[in-house]
């Protein structure tokens, strides 16, 4: 029997959305949960272009009932897509993470009570991944869903409800500011130290890296305040769709810890404040348009980072959701 005979069928799940005739997320269920890993990897390799195209069209794909149990299984599944890895080590991510394999790491070490609000991965930095894979090694006892949200739909709705703000986002763009601690702080969703984030051991090295990236900075007694260069608030996709590609919701709502105050986290590119009412509308649209991935052990989600935002609900018990990021091929 040819290897590509591994059967995966499209199924419907509760709460699934439909936008302009396309479901969100697309859910593919493996019909043979006893299939070998090798068969699964061959199936991925044979269908990878189609799967990547579907992730772009739908925003996300949930793979269910595939025979994956460990970080190594997940690594093999992702590797079968033959896409360029985006290593955490080189990224400017704010989150504290722990590598499990060279391309697989814990999604965020922040405690269960911390909500991670909707965002496009690393859209608050000049370097971001094009896609993300998540893998549920162990679902939480309660809660712990990964909300995902179609950013093109949110942008359409925001333009209708707040046209002046939407125009400002397009023309004035955004800047982000936050304080990195002097040491990793796993109690915070944004606790990655400046040494780790900037791959620096001394202040001089940190400043050299910041200069290269176009950031401005200020040394504080408890860390380093950095402000990004002006970054776009929206992104045009190759098919003409526009997405709300930024970290506005997460920054305005959640960039909060012992060092950070969300009200200082984000401004327009010229430093002027955002319209608070319009920010609230964006936050509410994010809530309204979220689909919560109801994790089951072994699930994989492929999220197109340019189309869909993601976050993390609070939870109880032990939750092990791993992640692997794909670099943006269009700039590599
Ligand atoms: Fe994230």
């Amino acid at each position: 029997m040819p290897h590509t005979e591994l059967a995966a069928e499209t199924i419907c799940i509760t709460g699934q959305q439909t936008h302009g005739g396309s479901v969100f997320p697309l859910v593919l269920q493996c019909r043979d949960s006893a299939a070998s890993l090798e068969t699964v990897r061959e199936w991925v390799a044979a269908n990878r272009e189609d799967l990547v195209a579907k992730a772009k069209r739908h925003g996300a794909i949930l793979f269910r009932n595939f025979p994956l149990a460990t970080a190594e299984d997940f690594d093999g599944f992702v590797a079968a897509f033959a896409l360029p890895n985006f290593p955490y080590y080189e990224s400017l991510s704010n989150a504290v993470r722990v590598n499990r394999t060279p391309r697989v790491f814990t999604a965020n070490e922040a405690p269960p009570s911390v909500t991670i609000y909707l965002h496009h991965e690393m859209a608050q930095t000049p370097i971001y991944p094009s896609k993300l894979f998540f893998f549920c090694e162990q679902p939480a006892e309660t809660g712990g869903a990964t909300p995902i949200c179609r950013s093109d739909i949110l942008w359409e709705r925001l333009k209708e409800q707040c046209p002046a703000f939407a125009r400002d986002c397009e023309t004035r763009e955004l800047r982000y500011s936050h304080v990195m601690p002097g040491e990793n702080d796993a109690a915070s969703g944004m606790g990655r130290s400046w040494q780790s984030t900037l791959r620096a051991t001394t202040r001089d090295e940190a400043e050299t890296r910041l200069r290269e990236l176009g950031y401005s900075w200020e040394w504080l007694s408890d860390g380093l305040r950095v402000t990004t260069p002006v970054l776009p608030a929206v992104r045009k996709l190759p098919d003409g769709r526009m997405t709300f590609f930024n970290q506005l919701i997460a920054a305005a709502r959640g960039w909060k810890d012992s060092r950070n105050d969300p009200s200082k986290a984000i401004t327009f590119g010229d430093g002027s404040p955002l319209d608070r009412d319009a920010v609230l509308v964006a936050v509410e649209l994010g809530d309204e348009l979220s689909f919560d991935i109801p994790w089951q052990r072994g699930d994989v989600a492929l999220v197109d980072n340019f189309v869909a935002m993601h976050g993390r609900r609070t939870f109880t018990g032990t939750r092990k959701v791993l992640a692997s990021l794909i670099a943006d091929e269009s700039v590599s």
Side-chain angles (χ1 to χ4, degrees):
M1 196 168 72
H3 306 301
T4 48
E5 286 287 310
L6 175 79
E9 59 192 350
T10 304
I11 61 163
C12 297
I13 56 171
T14 309
Q16 196 174 23
Q17 304 173 3
T18 305
H19 299 290
S22 84
V23 293
F24 177 69
L26 180 68
V27 185
L28 294 178
Q29 178 170 264
C30 181
R31 284 212 201 97
D32 180 8
S33 61
S36 71
L37 276 173
E38 194 50 36
T39 310
V40 169
R41 284 198 292 263
E42 284 169 3
W43 175 81
V44 168
N47 292 285
R48 62 186 185 225
E49 283 180 16
D50 181 52
L51 292 168
V52 166
K54 282 184 167 138
K56 181 152 288 296
R57 185 158 73 249
H58 292 271
I61 303 176
L62 176 60
F63 297 90
R64 180 149 279 181
N65 207 34
F66 282 74
L68 307 174
T70 65
E72 289 72 23
D73 296 346
F74 175 47
D75 185 303
F77 183 86
V78 174
F81 280 83
L83 293 165
N85 185 39
F86 182 103
Y88 169 66
Y89 169 72
E90 289 174 17
S91 78
L92 294 166
S93 166
N94 299 339
V96 176
R97 292 169 172 164
V98 177
N99 268 90
R100 294 280 302 275
T101 77
R103 64 185 303 154
V104 169
F105 47 81
T106 57
N108 192 318
E109 293 286 304
S113 59
V114 173
T115 297
I116 305 208
Y117 293 103
L118 289 174
H119 59 281
H120 286 284
E121 192 66 22
M122 297 179 216
Q124 83 286 14
T125 82
I127 312 162
Y128 32 72
S130 63
K131 293 171 248 306
L132 305 89
F133 285 90
F134 292 110
F135 171 64
C136 179
E137 190 178 28
Q138 182 180 338
E141 204 170 294
T142 64
T146 294
I148 51 175
C149 172
R150 276 279 293 261
S151 186
D152 52 339
I153 308 300
L154 188 148
W155 174 244
E156 285 300 317
R157 301 269 294 272
L158 186 64
K159 267 198 315 188
E160 281 165 24
Q161 294 185 32
C162 305
F165 177 70
R167 261 195 315 278
D168 281 345
C169 285
E170 280 188 282
T171 56
R172 296 164 76 184
E173 308 185 296
L174 299 169
R175 293 181 86 168
Y176 305 85
S177 188
H178 83 282
V179 177
M180 300 175 191
E183 290 173 13
N184 275 349
D185 173 8
S188 163
M190 48 188 307
R192 192 180 184 193
S193 71
W194 60 262
Q195 292 92 333
S196 170
T197 311
L198 301 169
R199 285 184 284 153
T201 50
T202 65
R203 287 187 171 202
D204 275 354
E205 284 171 13
E207 291 182 4
T208 300
R209 179 96 172 111
L210 288 166
R211 218 172 276 121
E212 284 165 8
L213 292 163
Y215 281 57
S216 55
W217 66 88
E218 182 191 352
W219 292 101
L220 306 173
S221 59
D222 59 349
L224 171 62
R225 171 173 289 284
V226 298
T227 303
T228 67
V230 178
L231 297 170
V234 291
R235 184 179 178 95
K236 188 169 189 180
L237 304 182
D239 64 7
R241 281 182 292 170
M242 300 287 287
T243 60
F244 195 50
F245 185 76
N246 58 60
Q247 285 240 357
L248 184 147
I249 292 173
R253 218 177 174 185
W255 281 19
K256 190 174 177 183
D257 61 13
S258 58
R259 296 165 295 278
N260 286 284
D261 171 356
S263 71
K264 294 183 186 158
I266 185 167
T267 64
F268 282 122
D270 57 12
S272 59
L274 307 185
D275 172 349
R276 296 300 306 170
D277 292 339
V279 168
L280 273 181
V281 171
V283 165
E284 282 164 12
L285 285 172
D287 285 342
E288 189 188 325
L289 293 168
S290 285
F291 169 83
D292 280 8
I293 297 176
W295 290 120
Q296 293 182 9
R297 195 181 294 268
D299 282 351
V300 170
L302 164 56
V303 178
D304 189 306
N305 194 38
F306 297 140
V307 182
M309 297 189 242
H310 65 278
R312 189 195 74 182
R313 304 283 184 204
T314 59
F315 62 95
T316 62
T318 302
R319 175 188 188 270
K320 291 185 188 167
V321 172
L322 307 180
S324 184
L325 306 182
I326 302 300
D328 183 4
E329 306 96 294
S330 63
V331 296
S332 59

